[in-house]
Amino acid sequence: MWPVNSSIEVIRSAMRPLVGSNNYVKRRKVPEKCRTRSFHERGTFDLAMILILVFTIVPVSLQAFNIFSHSYDRLDQKYGSFTEKMRLEMLEEVRKMFYFGYDGYMKYAFPMDELDPIHCVGRGPDHENPSNININDVLGDYCLTLIDSLDTLAVLGNVSEFHRAIQLVIDHVSFDKENTVQVFEANIRLLGGLLSAHMLIEEDRFLFGEDLRPPWYNGQLLQLAHDLASRLLPAFQKSITGIPYPRVNLRKGTVDEGAETCTAGAGSLLLELGALSRLLGDPIYESMARRANRALWSARAKTTGLLGNVINAKTGQWVGRLSGLGAGLDSYFEYLLKSYILFGEDEDYQMFNESYSVIKQYLRRGRPQCNSGYGDHPLYVNVDMHSGNTYTYWIDALQASFPAVQVLIGDIEEAICTHAWYYNVWKRYGVLPERFNWQRLSPDVSFYPLRPELIESTYLLYRATRNPFYLHVGREIVQSLNTYAKAKCGYATVHDVLDMSLEDRMESFFLSETCKYLYLLFDHNNPLNNQFNKYLFTTEGHLLPIGEKMRIKPWEADAFSPASPSMTSLKEDESLFFRDKTPKLKTNATQPSCEAVDGARQYLLPLRTPYYLQLTESLGLKE
Ligand code: DMJ
């Protein structure tokens, strides 16, 4: 069993020198870089085991803590409990939030792509202005919001609406459109939405019950997914570098001359395309996505091993020097790790490991440990990819998803710290500005388009720690969204966090991700939460079942023989297996710090109080 270091005294004595240092908060010394954690050293370290540990064994160990035998400080008390009544109220609030947005879309916008929640009308592509990529990259006359919402309906247990929605998709959606869309957006929102609904219907585990399968269902969503992916293929096939062109015309298969693509756009395609390949038994989609990943990987800077955020698909040359965890790179790292979890290919894990190692080495600033020692609050900054020097003083809202990746790799302590930073920026404004300047402490770009990243990390951290603090965070987020973003027919983008003015747009990810993660955070009995480590969320929050089907490459001759190298098998009841083997997992400074989440800390602030206060004060907040 996982060790339970429950002595509050140990924590307190570790904190004493820190608390005694009265100029700790004000001190802004140049932070020491965290020493690199070498994941390579771990050899054949099994990620699936870490997942099981984080989501199964750690919460079990937490139950051993006696909550009556310790005293708490003010903040521990404030955040240390969350009543069942509050939880049920929040669950109901989120349910209402989803249906307000979804019903508004169905009533005023369907079959168009998005809802304009202030004027209560639908929105499609901007045909008059083809260069309006802010709209045209995403919208394509294909009922985007409905497809993106399908698996959220399943998560909310609304089987009848799930069936109706699938019928509407089948009746209304065609990808044979004269629209030029972004490959990445079409992949994560549409392909992901279609595949997820299809796989939930077809899986043997019946996560949401046997009724989820409509009696008339005959693989129509998979056929649509197949059709869409075939229309995206020219973006890959026309590229001599292997890096796909960012945009493609769905009907003609022509690609835009502009070949600049972000790394995340070109390198976050493998989950959906790989799953499609394995479902169809056709390797072409997976091979294209893998080719793109390898091309990006081999373009990494020789000096640092870092990747830039924009690259030219025609030449394979980087555009600019910025490297970081936010826009342009965020889901690239996420997909390396998640592809390994889903498909079990070592190649993906090795790339993730090496990336994580250089991220820690070059991007991380602040004190070396999250919850001990001296120095500024840890922060991952944007750097020059060739030198590792700080490149900008802003970080962006997309990188608030990184703690969720850190939870998956088992680096919980880091995840706690990274998350706390974004949560406090959220608190400062009521929502998260798109870019926040950490030197001037003000937004550089000040809109908030209902993004899910902070909520996703909050949910993952809650699953890993069961700490009520994260329920408080979720509650505050729900209240902010209702206060600031609720409009006449749905939820609206906050145009400027400084005056909370609104913009008439509800992006589809509000229903596919923001509401889904909030709902799952509060729905403790959701079937998904009971089988959490058997499912994976794509970067658009779509659920993919982890299982043998995704470990087989049917196109290889001997794919179905258990001894075949083309089958990366899952072990029977890995959780049991892992419990037995727990002590064999070495823990030292070069490994993820799962042991940080011990029983004693379930009811204490995850980021210990003095550090938490340091953070809030440095961001000009009061607790
Ligand atoms: C979503 O489409 C996905 O989460 C993507 O990875 C990033 N952008 C939006 C949400 O912010």
Side-chain angles (χ1 to χ4, degrees):
M1 179 58 77
W2 196 250
V4 180
N5 305 321
S6 64
S7 166
I8 300 279
E9 221 12 74
V10 172
I11 296 170
R12 294 249 155 83
S13 58
M15 302 302 296
R16 244 167 239 138
L18 169 69
V19 177
S21 152
N22 49 13
N23 61 355
Y24 172 73
V25 171
K26 291 182 204 117
R27 195 163 46 95
R28 312 265 320 156
K29 78 174 171 72
V30 180
E32 194 185 324
K33 272 190 198 159
C34 178
R35 151 173 114 73
T36 313
R37 285 179 177 205
S38 166
F39 279 80
H40 328 269
E41 288 166 23
R42 276 183 288 137
T44 55
F45 167 75
D46 189 335
L47 184 60
M49 290 185 175
I50 283 288
L51 283 176
I52 289 158
L53 169 76
V54 170
F55 295 110
T56 309
I57 300 190
V58 169
V60 167
S61 78
L62 296 175
Q63 290 159 11
F65 174 61
N66 178 357
I67 59 166
F68 301 109
S69 62
H70 299 285
S71 61
Y72 303 94
D73 65 31
R74 182 176 57 86
L75 290 185
D76 292 331
Q77 280 170 22
K78 178 172 170 189
Y79 292 110
S81 70
F82 200 87
T83 63
E84 186 61 1
K85 183 165 169 283
M86 280 159 75
R87 182 184 74 77
L88 293 172
E89 277 168 14
M90 291 322 297
L91 189 62
E92 182 54 19
E93 281 294 306
V94 180
R95 207 186 58 76
K96 283 196 214 142
M97 178 182 284
F98 172 80
Y99 283 115
F100 188 59
Y102 178 80
D103 292 345
Y105 166 75
M106 292 308 287
K107 182 162 176 199
Y108 301 106
F110 177 80
M112 295 178 84
D113 290 310
E114 275 181 3
L115 168 70
D116 285 359
I118 297 175
H119 287 100
C120 307
V121 290
R123 183 195 282 262
D126 186 351
H127 293 295
E128 275 167 24
N129 179 9
S131 63
N132 184 359
I133 53 174
N134 182 31
I135 298 295
N136 293 335
D137 270 1
V138 184
L139 310 193
D141 290 322
Y142 34 40
C143 310
L144 173 72
T145 299
L146 185 63
I147 294 180
D148 226 0
S149 302
L150 290 177
D151 64 343
T152 313
L153 290 169
V155 166
L156 266 70
N158 192 341
V159 173
S160 56
E161 185 61 18
F162 180 74
H163 289 181
R164 190 177 85 95
I166 290 175
Q167 187 67 65
L168 288 171
V169 168
I170 294 167
D171 293 346
H172 287 85
V173 174
S174 157
F175 297 116
D176 185 23
K177 295 278 159 65
E178 190 62 45
N179 295 323
T180 295
V181 298
Q182 206 194 67
V183 175
F184 167 76
E185 297 290 2
N187 178 69
I188 64 167
R189 302 198 199 202
L190 297 164
L191 200 59
L194 293 167
L195 287 175
S196 170
H198 170 77
M199 288 171 83
L200 290 174
I201 287 172
E202 292 280 306
E203 69 165 345
D204 304 332
R205 281 193 293 256
F206 301 119
L207 178 69
F208 298 110
E210 287 183 43
D211 293 354
L212 197 70
R213 184 193 177 97
W216 40 262
Y217 188 72
N218 197 15
Q220 295 93 328
L221 297 180
L222 182 62
Q223 284 156 22
L224 276 170
H226 191 180
D227 177 53
L228 172 62
S230 309
R231 293 172 188 276
L232 302 180
L233 273 188
F236 297 83
Q237 289 163 331
K238 291 189 171 158
S239 162
I240 51 165
T241 62
I243 299 165
Y245 280 83
R247 298 179 180 84
V248 65
N249 183 291
L250 288 176
R251 179 169 292 157
K252 296 196 285 233
T254 47
V255 294
D256 261 10
E257 263 313 289
E260 286 183 11
T261 179
C262 67
T263 304
S268 318
L269 306 166
L270 184 51
L271 283 182
E272 292 82 359
L273 292 176
L276 181 69
S277 268
R278 290 173 192 233
L279 289 172
L280 296 173
D282 180 350
I284 183 72
Y285 307 101
E286 178 165 344
S287 67
M288 288 293 140
R290 286 199 176 279
R291 180 168 161 250
N293 278 9
R294 288 178 195 140
L296 290 168
W297 184 246
S298 45
R300 68 197 187 283
K302 293 204 171 43
T303 40
T304 60
L306 291 165
L307 282 82
N309 69 340
V310 183
I311 196 162
N312 187 307
K314 243 193 233 168
T315 63
Q317 299 297 309
W318 294 107
V319 180
R321 310 168 73 88
L322 187 148
S323 186
L325 296 176
L329 278 151
D330 52 342
S331 50
Y332 172 74
F333 304 115
E334 175 190 351
Y335 266 36
L336 292 179
L337 180 60
K338 290 185 175 176
S339 297
Y340 174 68
I341 294 169
L342 192 64
F343 305 122
E345 302 281 341
D346 287 343
E347 171 190 32
D348 301 324
Y349 188 56
Q350 278 157 16
M351 287 192 263
F352 175 79
N353 260 345
E354 209 169 314
S355 301
Y356 198 60
S357 186
V358 295
I359 286 168
K360 284 277 180 85
Q361 184 177 354
Y362 291 107
L363 271 53
R364 193 183 184 286
R365 305 286 186 267
R367 64 176 173 272
Q369 301 295 328
C370 172
N371 257 319
S372 62
Y374 296 91
D376 290 336
H377 187 87
L379 184 66
Y380 292 82
V381 304
N382 292 322
V383 301
D384 180 319
M385 65 181 284
H386 301 290
S387 66
N389 294 332
T390 302
Y391 196 70
T392 73
Y393 292 122
W394 51 261
I395 56 164
D396 68 44
L398 289 171
Q399 73 186 76
S401 62
F402 198 61
V405 174
Q406 294 183 309
V407 168
L408 285 186
I409 192 67
D411 206 355
I412 310 293
E413 200 72 83
E414 273 295 287
I416 287 170
C417 243
T418 321
H419 172 273
W421 207 89
Y422 291 100
Y423 168 53
N424 276 279
V425 178
W426 176 291
K427 268 173 96 100
R428 188 176 156 130
Y429 297 99
V431 293
L432 207 53
E434 186 70 356
R435 276 187 192 174
F436 182 74
N437 188 305
W438 48 266
Q439 199 179 55
R440 284 204 312 267
L441 297 181
S442 58
D444 273 0
V445 177
S446 58
F447 64 86
Y448 168 69
L450 307 170
R451 288 199 192 283
E453 286 75 11
L454 177 66
I455 298 142
E456 174 186 359
S457 295
T458 304
Y459 168 59
L460 269 276
L461 269 162
Y462 181 68
R463 295 313 306 166
T465 65
R466 302 289 205 277
N467 192 306
F469 171 77
Y470 295 107
L471 298 175
H472 286 277
V473 173
R475 182 167 179 248
E476 194 168 330
I477 289 173
V478 171
Q479 287 170 346
S480 301
L481 289 172
N482 279 333
T483 306
Y484 301 120
K486 195 167 178 184
K488 194 170 164 201
C489 304
Y491 286 78
T493 293
V494 175
H495 175 69
D496 188 341
V497 304
L498 297 175
D499 61 13
M500 290 298 180
S501 50
L502 296 180
E503 205 173 301
D504 204 1
R505 188 165 185 198
M506 183 175 87
E507 292 239 27
S508 63
F509 51 70
F510 176 68
L511 298 179
S512 74
E513 292 192 80
T514 309
C515 290
K516 185 187 282 145
Y517 289 125
L518 282 170
Y519 191 81
L520 286 168
L521 175 69
F522 293 110
D523 191 17
H524 290 179
N525 300 320
N526 194 281
L528 178 71
N529 284 332
N530 296 327
Q531 300 203 41
F532 189 77
N533 47 27
K534 297 204 170 79
Y535 294 83
L536 196 63
F537 292 97
T538 69
T539 194
E540 187 71 3
H542 292 307
L543 280 170
L544 299 179
I546 301 170
E548 297 293 353
K549 242 187 213 160
M550 291 294 109
R551 296 291 173 104
I552 294 170
K553 297 179 207 159
W555 51 88
E556 291 189 355
D558 53 357
F560 295 96
S561 138
S564 158
S566 64
M567 180 170 173
T568 323
S569 194
L570 286 167
K571 290 178 193 73
E572 224 2 70
D573 195 358
E574 272 184 327
S575 55
L576 256 186
F577 167 80
F578 192 54
R579 235 169 243 149
D580 294 339
K581 305 280 180 192
T582 304
K584 285 202 177 156
L585 250 194
K586 280 195 236 135
T587 53
N588 57 40
T590 66
Q591 295 201 340
S593 48
C594 303
E595 83 277 15
V597 193
D598 63 44
R601 293 188 41 208
Q602 184 179 4
Y603 303 98
L604 301 174
L605 263 190
L607 177 62
R608 290 169 183 157
T609 300
Y611 295 119
Y612 190 81
L613 290 175
Q614 173 202 23
L615 176 61
T616 53
E617 283 174 35
S618 71
L619 285 168
L621 292 163
K622 281 211 172 76
E623 257 299 344

